[in-house]
Amino acid sequence: MGKKVTVVGAGFYGSTTAQRLAEYDVFETVVLVDVVEGKPEGLALDLNQSRPVEGYETLVVGKTVGFDGSGYEIIEGSDVVIITAGFPRKPGMSRMDLLEKNAGIVRPVAENVAKYAPNAVIIVVTNPLDEMTALAQIAAQFPKNRVMGQAGMLDTARFTHFVAEATGAKISEVKTLTLGSHGETMVPVPSACSVKGQPLSEVLPAEKIEELVVRTRNGGAEVVALLKTGSAYYAPSAAAARMAKAVAEDSGAVMPVCAWVDGEYGIDGVYLGVEAELGAEGVRRVVETDLTAEELAGLKEAAEAVRAKQSDVASM
């Protein structure tokens, strides 16, 4: 049996994710579902017609689904389900402003995933990310290793781009890392960052690093403010698609993701941005990185901030 991946939500984020997944040519089928009548079918048709040009075999299947769960049988047997459905941010909105609106979307989606694709690994990208990941796990009642969120990959990619731009280095010569939550309590890890193998602190002055850290933390808001309508999707979809690929290939790739932390770093019982080894069962294990005392304190602070909000979602 070939691998099957489902993308829930056919907006810019979802459709771009479906395109990337199809072009990898590691899945037999990419399913795209949305509540907007005809939209997923139309996008699937368009994507399939690009197959002869791009030279991939993956078939894209689009299906309109209902808020009542109708149509979700199309996702049956999915190995991975990526949840992108939800309202995007508007200029001036924080990720937290979306909490209640998007909880009402993510909960029924996760319940339908549990019903039709009970063995899937769920990757959540709907904002506010850490809270929606916790909610999806509660609603689906999956083991925690099979539900994760996409954030660290994106934040790290943004940080890497900014460092490369500031130093004139190639992207391939820059290594960065961000942990913590997606948003205000993001914890960039300068001690794990390097340019051409040299520690970042030796390449850029402290105030410039701090400036790039702040820009990374506000990376999504910067794009939202420029676009005026909608939010980022090229970089976020690349991050989610790579995570799905690691699961499908059971690769053991280590990536920064939003994963369940239970004892690592002395932190218990919370979804948090950490590095994790990904495979067919989702998160194989959380990989602990050597942190400075300051970075570890920041990570623990992020954990407490997220924990307080994650406890609220159980009742949503």
Side-chain angles (χ1 to χ4, degrees):
M1 270 290 282
K3 294 282 181 189
K4 182 173 179 177
V5 58
T6 290
V7 181
V8 181
F12 285 128
Y13 194 134
S15 56
T16 310
T17 303
Q19 178 189 0
R20 294 188 190 282
L21 292 167
E23 288 178 354
Y24 287 157
D25 220 6
V26 298
F27 295 94
E28 187 179 344
T29 313
V30 175
V31 176
L32 186 60
V33 301
D34 200 286
V35 293
V36 178
E37 181 71 42
K39 188 176 186 183
E41 289 88 345
L43 289 169
L45 186 58
D46 192 10
L47 282 166
N48 283 329
Q49 289 166 357
S50 74
R51 295 192 302 162
V53 184
E54 286 297 314
Y56 62 88
E57 295 294 340
T58 303
L59 185 70
V60 184
V61 177
K63 176 80 174 171
T64 303
V65 294
F67 285 111
D68 59 355
S70 58
Y72 269 97
E73 62 280 355
I74 194 81
I75 78 169
E76 207 168 331
S78 294
D79 299 280
V80 188
V81 177
I82 302 174
I83 302 177
T84 77
F87 295 94
R89 284 202 286 169
K90 293 187 167 68
M93 276 179 97
S94 75
R95 287 187 176 88
M96 291 314 296
D97 291 337
L98 297 171
L99 184 57
E100 225 157 290
K101 288 177 84 169
N102 283 346
I105 293 172
V106 169
R107 178 177 276 282
V109 168
E111 287 168 351
N112 280 305
V113 173
K115 186 175 175 183
Y116 293 105
N119 299 315
V121 170
I122 297 178
I123 298 172
V124 180
V125 296
T126 305
N127 274 316
L129 190 277
D130 308 278
E131 291 73 21
M132 291 302 109
T133 304
L135 177 63
Q137 188 277 324
I138 291 164
Q141 298 185 312
F142 279 10
K144 295 184 174 77
N145 61 291
R146 284 207 282 124
V147 183
M148 60 180 138
Q150 184 286 108
M153 280 281 285
L154 170 60
D155 297 326
T156 298
R158 285 172 170 160
F159 198 16
T160 299
H161 165 68
F162 294 144
V163 170
E165 212 176 29
T167 57
K170 292 178 179 172
I171 286 289
S172 60
E173 297 170 331
V174 177
K175 183 179 182 296
T176 74
L177 179 63
T178 67
L179 303 174
S181 85
H182 192 43
E184 290 66 39
T185 47
M186 184 189 301
V187 184
V189 186
S191 71
C193 302
S194 61
V195 180
K196 299 181 188 175
Q198 273 189 295
L200 185 59
S201 56
E202 290 175 22
V203 181
L204 290 174
E207 60 273 15
K208 182 62 183 177
I209 294 173
E210 181 55 29
E211 184 190 311
L212 298 182
V213 164
V214 171
R215 193 176 176 196
T216 300
R217 194 171 281 136
N218 300 322
E222 185 179 353
V223 174
V224 168
L226 288 165
L227 291 177
K228 312 285 190 294
T229 58
S231 49
Y233 56 92
Y234 287 122
S237 66
R242 286 285 165 178
M243 288 168 63
K245 186 172 187 272
V247 172
E249 294 181 332
D250 196 21
S251 72
V254 175
M255 301 177 176
V257 303
C258 177
W260 184 255
V261 177
D262 215 5
E264 296 86 0
Y265 296 110
I267 296 167
D268 280 309
V270 69
Y271 269 103
L272 191 65
V274 289
E275 283 194 290
E277 187 182 305
L278 305 188
E281 67 273 41
V283 174
R284 286 184 187 170
R285 64 184 184 99
V286 171
V287 177
E288 290 186 71
T289 311
D290 284 334
L291 301 179
T292 65
E294 192 183 346
E295 289 161 353
L296 183 59
L299 188 61
K300 288 186 169 173
E301 200 178 307
E304 291 320 306
V306 171
R307 186 193 308 279
K309 295 179 189 119
Q310 284 182 5
S311 62
D312 295 342
V313 302
S315 58
M316 287 183 171

